[in-house]
Amino acid sequence: MQISFIKIKKKSDADKSKRTRNSEATFVIKQSPKRANPMQKTMDFSIRFLFLMLQFLIVLGCATKPGVRLDIQDKHVIMDNGIVQVNLSNPEGIVTGIQYNGIDNLLEVLNDESNRGYWDIVWDEGGKKRTKKGAKGKGRFDRMEATNFTVIVESEEQVELSFSRTWNDSLEGKLPPLNIDKRFIMLSGSSGFYTYAIYEHLKEWPAFDLDNTRIAFKPRKDKFHYMVVADNRQRFMPLPDDRSPPRGQVLAYPEAVRLVDPLEPEFKGEVDDKYQYACESRYNRVHGWICIDPVNSTGFWLITPSYEFRSAGPLKQYLTSHVGPTTLSVFHSTHYSGADLIMQFGPNEPWKKVYGPIFIYLNSLSNGFSPIGLWEDAKQQMVNEVESWPYTFPASEDFLSSDQRGKVEGRLLVRDRYISDAFIPVSGAYVGLAAIGEVGSWQRECKGYQFWTITDDKGYFSIINIRPGGYNLYSWVNGFIGDYQFDSVIYVTSGCETNVGELVYEAPRDGPTLWEIGIPDRSAAEFYVPDPNPMCINRLYVNHPDRFRQYGLWERYAELYPNEDLVYTVGISDYRKDWFFAQVNRKKDNGTYIGTTWQINFKLDSVNTNGTYTLQVALASVHSAELEIRINNLEANPPLFSSGVIGKENTIARHGIHGLYWLFSIHIQGTLLVQGNNTIFLTQTRDTSPFIGIMYDYIRLEYKR
């Protein structure tokens, strides 16, 4: 998209009967297929000047504002540093109001006070019986309302407040067996506030499951209409009213709604779904909303400076902001992972973890200029917060400062002996420390902390600010299948600097490549993603790199292959055009579904019947699917390979392009192959839902001499 300056115009009486965008300001957005990501281009001089002035004014304002003041009332506690005022319920610790930039409350005043800014958790009792389908219910929702309020720090430079809740046996079955301590911090001169929380499960307490935990804010719907998740993922958003009948029509699941009669006609026919704005943890640093006003625009941003406390590593996908308006910082969830990421605690399992701090950042811009400046400033503030991590000001002893942490460094090389005997430095590979486990277990690990970095162009890496403890070192390398794990446990202590030397990753390989499909990068993005149904479109993702985020793409398969399934011919077909991004079920005329069988046709000039071949099958995501593989005989029973029913990732329905990574190395006896034409049959057998399916990452046939 090309984003231009705001145009201010007078509205007619008819226009004013519709929802206005804050004092009649409209933000002009032009589609430009030649520049899918213009925000990465150099801003023109006026925007640069505006951005610098904004930074200067913020710094100047911070330098001249008074210290932090605390006002404790019977039902509320107010933190005020002269820039921002935050009102919290006493003793529950719910953010009921945020005053900034002349706006009495940035949060939704029409909501109950308990539904404006809050921490929450979804949990269940441990050992709860499963449903017939083998899955638990959605769990119990708890807004984590505290029962005790304590002032931890009070000075002109800083206020830190604690809102805590202590668990005891009388609460069994009613609340999750956790001690919870929610902290809120305001610093002098800061245009925002921080929050973090400490969860603790004692050894003697009962078992329970933790499905999801996060912090949520609900800005005012009459003011915040423009949402930003990334440079190329930002737009005006519909109102929440547009999602309710009769204005909105629920589609295949409640989160997806087609806007049939929205208050503003520009949204008519679009689909709104919060999952369209999900983001990988590694990129999920700052997002939020803008109140566009011709006199004084306001930004509401949620900044997560570290993902060390988030579950499942840098590739895990989380919700961000969506229609409400709502903005979230999610710390743990089962989205795009399923039951594998339910955090299960046994009855004799002690656990404590610090989530956060995160920063709620507010900025403003006068004179009615484009809100690009607010977003650019929010990104710069995010950089400042990342560089300040770990913070020095949290008062809890459970949050460790930099000098209490350690460092691990080394160098990563990769060798694929069927390409070269050389040990090649790996550039841009992720290397991280996570809980001790099996190879690749980091993507399912959720109780501990994870610390990741990327290698430089010579393969060197340095992982800093690691909390003391025992870890395995993990890595994966784009362009190579599988996962790397260092063969020794690494113990980190306060102040330590550990050099593990040169590490060599020898990716799984049995022989030279006969043919391959796709790119080994843990994603299905390189495959064919169809255009959406014109009746179910999100205009943001038209001519967009993330075209897979459109609703209903799974139904396009049956339109492309109404009678016969996909057939791919090695050497002729192009995976970018001829390999559908997901092996989904085909919808029949009667509304039911049928499993699908894809074919890979290939020629072999010769076959060693005494030899062994290997089919490397890397999956980018699976949902309740069973993959069966046969060679040259579709009726073979049993099949050469069956995965069994695996995966609960729901990636297809949630507009993702990957979930958890799966790798299968399948050995094929030479007697199953023939000289000349051969066919591999990939059958997905489950047929009860349109969302059952498989996303492939990469397939390769090798010959083992």
Side-chain angles (χ1 to χ4, degrees), residues 679-694:
T679 300
I680 293 175
F681 298 98
L682 306 172
T683 300
Q684 196 296 112
T685 65
R686 313 288 287 183
D687 60 3
T688 56
S689 164
F691 306 128
I692 291 174
I694 299 166

Side-chain angles (χ1 to χ4, degrees), residues 15 69 93 115 131 172 218 287 359 386 453 552 611 624 644 661 672:
D15 290 333
R69 300 186 300 275
N115 188 27
T131 66
E172 186 167 357
K218 309 287 184 66
H287 58 87
F359 185 39
V386 170
T453 191
S624 299
Y661 179 76
L672 294 176

Side-chain angles (χ1 to χ4, degrees), residues 62 66-68 79-84 155-160 184-194 359 385 391-394:
C62 292
V68 187
M79 301 185 297
D80 188 346
N81 66 0
I83 305 171
V84 180
S155 70
E156 287 194 353
E157 289 74 35
Q158 175 178 341
V159 164
E160 179 166 344
F184 295 87
I185 300 172
M186 178 170 283
L187 304 179
S188 175
S190 176
S191 187
F193 63 99
Y194 298 85
F359 185 39
E385 300 299 323
Y391 297 130
T392 58
F393 49 79

Side-chain angles (χ1 to χ4, degrees), residues 282-524:
R282 56 181 170 175
Y283 303 129
N284 189 352
R285 297 285 201 177
V286 55
H287 58 87
W289 291 82
I290 296 174
C291 166
I292 299 177
D293 188 280
V295 177
N296 206 345
S297 294
T298 302
F300 187 109
W301 309 102
L302 207 158
I303 296 177
T304 306
S306 170
Y307 54 81
E308 69 178 40
F309 41 79
R310 284 202 192 116
S311 297
L315 295 182
K316 174 70 172 68
Q317 295 173 89
Y318 291 96
L319 295 176
T320 57
S321 293
H322 57 81
V323 164
T326 297
T327 189
L328 308 169
S329 186
V330 184
F331 309 115
H332 171 76
S333 81
T334 58
H335 291 145
Y336 304 94
S337 303
D340 284 352
L341 246 70
I342 294 176
M343 204 183 298
Q344 298 179 321
F345 293 93
N348 297 306
E349 185 175 356
W351 175 74
K352 181 184 279 191
K353 189 170 184 178
V354 179
Y355 290 105
I358 61 167
F359 185 39
I360 295 82
Y361 178 60
L362 311 170
N363 59 7
S364 60
L365 192 60
S366 60
N367 300 324
F369 285 100
S370 162
I372 290 175
L374 293 176
W375 168 236
E376 292 297 323
D377 173 66
K379 288 195 297 180
Q380 181 57 52
Q381 187 64 41
M382 177 269 291
V383 172
N384 298 343
E385 300 299 323
V386 170
E387 292 177 348
S388 300
W389 186 269
Y391 297 130
T392 58
F393 49 79
S396 172
E397 62 182 14
D398 293 305
F399 182 81
L400 303 185
S401 60
S402 181
D403 59 4
Q404 295 174 291
R405 301 176 178 228
K407 175 181 178 181
V408 173
E409 56 189 1
R411 190 185 191 198
L412 182 66
L413 308 172
V414 66
R415 185 174 78 128
D416 186 334
R417 65 184 186 278
Y418 288 97
I419 297 177
S420 170
D421 285 332
F423 296 94
I424 303 170
V426 178
S427 175
Y430 276 81
V431 183
L433 297 181
I436 299 169
E438 301 298 322
V439 174
S441 60
W442 57 268
Q443 67 172 340
R444 291 174 170 84
E445 198 284 315
C446 47
K447 294 180 181 177
Y449 301 87
Q450 298 196 22
F451 305 90
W452 290 86
T453 191
I454 58 175
T455 57
D456 66 16
D457 57 359
K458 296 183 179 179
Y460 289 101
F461 62 88
S462 179
I463 307 171
I464 61 174
N465 295 317
I466 308 162
R467 293 175 64 101
Y471 301 91
N472 277 137
L473 185 147
Y474 303 94
S475 180
W476 81 89
V477 181
N478 279 346
F480 299 86
I481 62 174
D483 281 270
Y484 172 79
Q485 179 174 317
F486 185 48
D487 56 10
S488 298
V489 174
I490 297 175
Y491 293 96
V492 175
T493 58
S494 296
C496 78
E497 294 188 8
T498 302
N499 193 314
V500 295
E502 289 192 343
L503 311 176
V504 178
Y505 176 43
E506 299 208 34
R509 167 78 78 167
D510 285 340
T513 299
L514 296 178
W515 52 259
E516 59 187 348
I517 300 173
I519 301 170
D521 60 358
R522 297 173 179 254
S523 166

Side-chain angles (χ1 to χ4, degrees), residues 19-77:
R19 186 224 343 165
T20 62
R21 288 183 176 142
N22 297 311
S23 303
E24 304 165 350
T26 56
F27 188 45
V28 178
I29 300 177
K30 300 177 181 178
Q31 297 292 342
S32 176
K34 295 182 179 180
R35 295 197 301 167
N37 193 358
M39 295 292 289
Q40 295 176 353
K41 303 291 185 180
T42 304
M43 292 185 298
D44 61 31
F45 176 79
S46 59
I47 294 295
R48 287 182 177 275
F49 177 76
L50 181 66
F51 174 53
L52 292 173
M53 286 299 297
L54 176 63
Q55 288 285 333
F56 173 75
L57 291 172
I58 289 173
V59 172
L60 180 64
C62 292
T64 58
K65 293 296 181 180
V68 187
R69 300 186 300 275
L70 182 63
D71 181 10
I72 302 174
Q73 304 172 359
D74 288 341
K75 298 294 184 180
H76 295 90
V77 180

